[in-house]
Amino acid sequence: MADGNRFFPALRLILAALVAGVLAGAVAVYVRESSSGNKAPAQVAAGGGKDDVACAAKTDRAKKIGAAATGQVAALLPADPPQSLKSLTFNGPDGKPTTIADHAGKTVLLNLWATWCAPCRAEMPALDALQKEMGSDAFQVVAVNVDAGDDAKPKKFLEDTGVKSLGYYRDATMALFNDVKTRGLALGLPVTMLIDGQGCLIAHMNGPAEWSGPDAKRLVEAALQPG
């Protein structure tokens, strides 16, 4: 059964995505790259900083955690090699800029989503449930909305769908998405990254998953294991 689920979310998630897409009037999942971004391609290509070197040494750990991604989260791929995402920037619940570095010491499941993206809308309740059950001083789901415009539409969506456990993180500039895309991690939305307490990318995936299920919980438990 795990093999059958390896690249596709549960049927319930697909149906929910289709319904959400109709309600949202969504006509496309993928977003277009703009000229803005947290880093220019040349900077990313240059890389090689001490943080990236330290993260690259975690290749074996990334493979080990990637092996724990089975069933409904099996599309999550180990970082090859792991890289530092400390500089990723977005606005926190207080509306002020924050970075992955500000979450030091905590494993983060970073998810980029938009209200016009049907699969994003479908998986938000599951991400909320994962945060409610497993959120702690050691683990947090950070779901960053990337809608253009003001906060009205994304906040209304979260309210209407009963999302209460997730903090409200936001980037209306597309800089965050473009940074992740430049790094070769994003094809479109949603995109999800598993980041360790040192800000190192351990695993990533494009597309939705059933984040409230037992497979996701086992993945988080594996990511929280020392070593």
Side-chain angles (χ1 to χ4, degrees):
M1 182 66 67
D3 289 341
N5 287 328
R6 183 162 183 81
F7 297 107
F8 298 94
L11 179 60
R12 179 179 66 79
L13 188 62
I14 296 174
L15 293 175
L18 292 174
V19 172
V22 172
L23 294 176
V27 294
V29 173
Y30 295 111
V31 298
R32 291 193 296 265
E33 182 178 12
S34 73
S35 60
S36 63
N38 287 354
K39 285 188 175 183
Q43 289 176 297
V44 175
K50 64 178 181 179
D51 290 333
D52 282 320
V53 171
C55 290
K58 299 184 179 185
T59 298
D60 288 344
R61 175 163 173 76
K63 290 179 179 179
K64 180 178 180 181
I65 294 174
T70 60
Q72 294 174 325
V73 294
L76 192 80
L77 302 174
D80 184 24
Q83 59 180 280
S84 177
L85 297 185
K86 284 183 178 181
S87 65
L88 293 186
T89 303
F90 41 90
N91 289 340
D94 60 0
K96 298 179 180 179
T98 186
T99 66
I100 290 297
D102 294 327
H103 294 76
K106 182 178 293 189
T107 296
V108 169
L109 189 72
L110 178 66
N111 176 272
L112 275 55
W113 69 282
T115 59
W116 47 260
C117 162
C120 303
R121 294 170 64 93
E123 72 174 357
M124 289 305 294
L127 287 165
D128 187 59
L130 180 63
Q131 171 63 23
K132 182 177 181 179
E133 181 170 344
M134 302 199 71
S136 66
D137 291 339
F139 173 76
Q140 182 179 1
V141 178
V142 175
V144 184
N145 175 264
V146 296
D147 278 46
D150 60 26
D151 292 337
K153 189 173 182 179
K155 282 189 172 181
K156 184 178 187 303
F157 166 72
L158 295 176
E159 181 179 351
D160 289 348
T161 51
V163 172
K164 298 179 179 179
S165 297
L166 294 175
Y168 183 66
Y169 293 91
R170 186 89 158 90
D171 176 44
T173 69
M174 289 302 291
L176 175 61
F177 176 81
N178 285 329
D179 189 339
V180 173
K181 185 174 182 179
T182 299
R183 295 168 182 269
L185 302 176
L187 300 175
L189 294 176
V191 58
T192 306
M193 292 153 279
L194 184 64
I195 304 168
D196 73 8
Q198 289 72 50
C200 298
L201 174 69
I202 298 300
H204 59 98
M205 70 180 293
N206 284 269
E210 180 51 82
W211 293 109
S212 62
D215 295 324
K217 294 170 188 175
R218 282 193 293 268
L219 171 66
V220 173
E221 289 169 355
L224 293 175
Q225 291 298 314

